[in-house]
Amino acid sequence: MFGKRAECQRMGASFNLAHESRMEAQFLIREIAAKSPQALFSVKGAVRYAHSKLAVFGWTFNRCKDVWQANERVSIADHEKETLRRVLKLAREEQEAKDDLARIDARLSRLESLLQGMDEEFHIETLAALRQSRNRLRGLGDNEKRED
C-alpha cells in the first residue's frame, strides 16, 4: 500500500513539473509573438509570427500552436524552452534596435527642422548630410521589415 501512495505522489510531482513547463513555454511563445504587429489582429497571425521565428529551429506551425494553447498532450523538453528563451531575447533586442533607430530618426528630423529655421542656405551642406543619414537609417528599418 505504501508503494502505491509513493508512486501516486511521484506521478503528481511529475504532472506538476510538466504543467509548469507547458505554462512557461506558453508564456515564452506568447511573448515572442507579442513583438509582431500581426498579434494585434488574430491569434493565428501571432502563432504564424512565432512560427516564423522558430521554424529555423525545427518547430512546426502545429507545434507552435500546441505550445501556444498549452495543450496537455504536449511535453516540453529543456532544450526547447532554452530555444524559446533565446528567440525571445533576440526579439527583444530587435525591438530595442528598432526603437533606437526611431529615436535617432526623430532627433535628426528635429535637428534638420531647426537648421532650416535658422538659415537654410548657410546650412545647406549640413542639411544634405542629415538627409542622407536619415535615408540610410530608414533603409535599415526597411531591411528589417522585409525580413519579417
Side-chain angles (χ1 to χ4, degrees):
M1 187 74 117
F2 180 73
K4 288 198 181 249
R5 188 165 62 195
E7 184 180 334
C8 288
Q9 287 174 341
R10 277 196 305 275
M11 286 176 58
S14 149
F15 172 78
N16 286 339
L17 290 175
H19 179 72
E20 287 176 18
S21 188
R22 277 194 304 276
M23 293 296 105
E24 181 183 0
Q26 180 188 47
F27 170 78
L28 292 168
I29 203 165
R30 288 180 178 202
E31 282 294 305
I32 291 166
K35 306 298 178 201
S36 161
Q38 299 152 340
L40 298 173
F41 301 109
S42 72
V43 170
K44 190 173 187 176
V47 174
R48 259 196 213 120
Y49 179 80
H51 174 250
S52 74
K53 297 297 184 185
L54 292 164
V56 181
F57 300 100
W59 285 59
T60 64
F61 177 82
N62 285 334
R63 177 71 173 168
C64 292
K65 184 177 76 168
D66 287 342
V67 171
W68 179 278
Q69 295 170 342
N71 193 320
E72 287 186 17
R73 69 175 193 253
V74 171
S75 62
I76 308 293
D78 288 339
H79 70 85
E80 290 177 308
K81 286 193 293 186
E82 188 55 39
T83 298
L84 288 168
R85 286 184 199 109
R86 275 188 286 147
V87 170
L88 178 58
K89 181 180 178 194
L90 290 172
R92 286 178 176 160
E93 289 172 355
E94 182 181 333
Q95 187 60 49
E96 287 173 12
K98 287 178 181 178
D99 292 345
D100 288 345
L101 284 175
R103 279 192 293 274
I104 291 169
D105 187 47
R107 291 178 103 181
L108 289 174
S109 294
R110 173 108 171 98
L111 183 58
E112 185 178 347
S113 67
L114 286 172
L115 290 175
Q116 283 176 336
M118 295 169 115
D119 185 0
E120 188 170 354
E121 286 185 34
F122 180 76
H123 295 292
I124 197 156
E125 290 177 17
T126 306
L127 287 168
L130 282 173
R131 287 184 186 119
Q132 188 177 22
S133 295
R134 287 183 64 211
N135 289 337
R136 279 193 208 128
L137 278 176
R138 289 180 177 151
L140 287 174
D142 290 343
N143 289 338
E144 288 177 357
K145 288 176 190 168
R146 285 187 207 122
E147 291 173 6
D148 290 344

